[in-house]
Amino acid sequence: MTDDELSLRQAMIATCLKMNAAGLNVGTAGNLSVRLRDGFLVTPTGMDYETMQSGEIVAMDFDDRYYGDFYPTSEWRFHSAILKARPEVNVVLHSHALYCTMLASCRMGIPAAHYDIASFGDDHIECSGYAPFGTPELSAEVLRALGHRKACLLGNHGVLVLGQTIPKAFRLLQQIEFLAHHYIGTLMLGRGVVLSKGEMNVVLERYKTYGKQPGQFERSDAPAEFQIIPPERGGDRLP
């Protein structure tokens, strides 16, 4: 095992602990995978994150073979399916976050009640149909519900998010749980307003450059207000 792989395994355990500590998961539920060379690393089945050791993280290839002395999570199939189908994705994070799971148990997705839904690449989040955990049928449901998005709810089950890095996936888990909580609150108040397709198209366009700094996008792709030469020492007024 290389030093880089050891650090990655340790980061996976730390993230699972952080997920539980933040109230985004409970007990041994949930799981995490990270792309590695021609396969991926994934958390083992049924082990407490508090006592998990780096050597217990399981290596798998895309021919459904695992390596080492520990079985992978029972959900390994959807991790493998997603990583094979979405080459731009490096991390799959699954949890039983409370508010997401409440909506999933009602087979409800999350509409554009808040513009931050655009973080996930669309104007809504879908909920999959139900299939028993760990089955090929669930993997098929997950891929359908995900589409091109970075997250979906799993019918009567929970939520999963996709990222390029572990920290980005964790932030998306925080965001989607906020959106689920927020949406449930609007339903309770009975006064929620869902943004229109046109309104969300504007937001989605703006999200293409959201969070980027000079040097992170081509000048021609920058939003109009940033199509200026950045000052070396500040002082220029933005339009």
Side-chain angles (χ1 to χ4, degrees):
M1 185 188 307
T2 65
D3 289 344
D4 286 345
E5 182 177 333
L6 176 59
S7 296
L8 188 57
R9 288 167 177 259
Q10 292 170 339
M12 291 174 68
I13 296 171
T15 299
C16 291
L17 288 169
K18 185 178 177 181
M19 179 170 67
N20 280 17
L24 296 170
N25 194 58
V26 177
T28 61
N31 33 74
L32 170 63
S33 67
V34 181
R35 190 185 297 276
L36 182 69
R37 297 187 292 276
D38 297 323
F40 57 98
L41 298 174
V42 67
T43 47
T45 185
M47 289 191 176
D48 289 330
Y49 299 127
E50 289 80 4
T51 58
M52 191 178 294
Q53 301 297 309
S54 58
E56 295 168 343
I57 298 291
V58 182
M60 293 194 67
D61 62 27
F62 289 122
D63 292 320
D64 302 341
R65 295 176 295 202
Y66 78 96
Y67 300 86
D69 299 325
F70 300 92
Y71 287 125
T73 171
S74 58
E75 307 282 19
W76 66 265
R77 284 184 175 86
F78 69 56
H79 287 273
S80 180
I82 292 167
L83 292 171
K84 283 191 281 191
R86 300 280 296 271
E88 81 281 9
V89 170
N90 292 322
V91 179
V92 179
L93 179 58
H94 165 56
S95 90
H96 294 180
L98 178 60
Y99 293 102
C100 286
T101 304
M102 289 171 66
L103 290 176
S105 296
C106 298
R107 305 287 178 88
M108 297 171 65
I110 307 175
H114 191 289
Y115 73 83
D116 197 37
I117 200 89
S119 298
F120 299 89
D122 205 349
D123 61 3
H124 69 288
I125 298 293
E126 289 197 8
C127 181
S128 78
Y130 173 76
F133 71 90
T135 60
E137 291 77 14
L138 179 59
S139 296
E141 286 287 345
V142 164
L143 289 176
R144 181 201 62 77
L146 275 173
H148 62 277
R149 303 174 195 87
K150 297 179 183 178
C152 72
L153 305 184
L154 283 61
N156 299 86
H157 187 154
V159 59
L160 63 82
V161 297
L162 315 180
Q164 292 180 319
T165 66
I166 293 176
K168 286 181 179 180
F170 185 82
R171 285 196 294 273
L172 285 178
L173 181 60
Q174 291 176 304
Q175 283 177 278
I176 197 169
E177 179 69 345
F178 162 78
L179 291 172
H181 192 175
H182 167 266
Y183 180 48
I184 290 171
T186 66
L187 293 175
M188 293 174 66
L189 291 170
R191 300 188 57 154
V193 176
V194 174
L195 295 172
S196 70
K197 201 82 171 172
E199 289 169 326
M200 281 306 302
N201 284 341
V202 173
V203 175
L204 286 163
E205 188 63 29
R206 293 184 68 81
Y207 260 69
K208 291 179 180 178
T209 53
Y210 174 76
K212 290 186 177 181
Q213 294 295 334
Q216 292 181 302
F217 46 69
E218 296 295 330
R219 185 169 305 281
S220 60
D221 295 332
E225 61 265 37
F226 294 132
Q227 289 180 2
I228 58 175
I229 298 174
E232 291 186 6
R233 293 185 173 272
D236 279 11
R237 187 184 299 276
L238 290 173

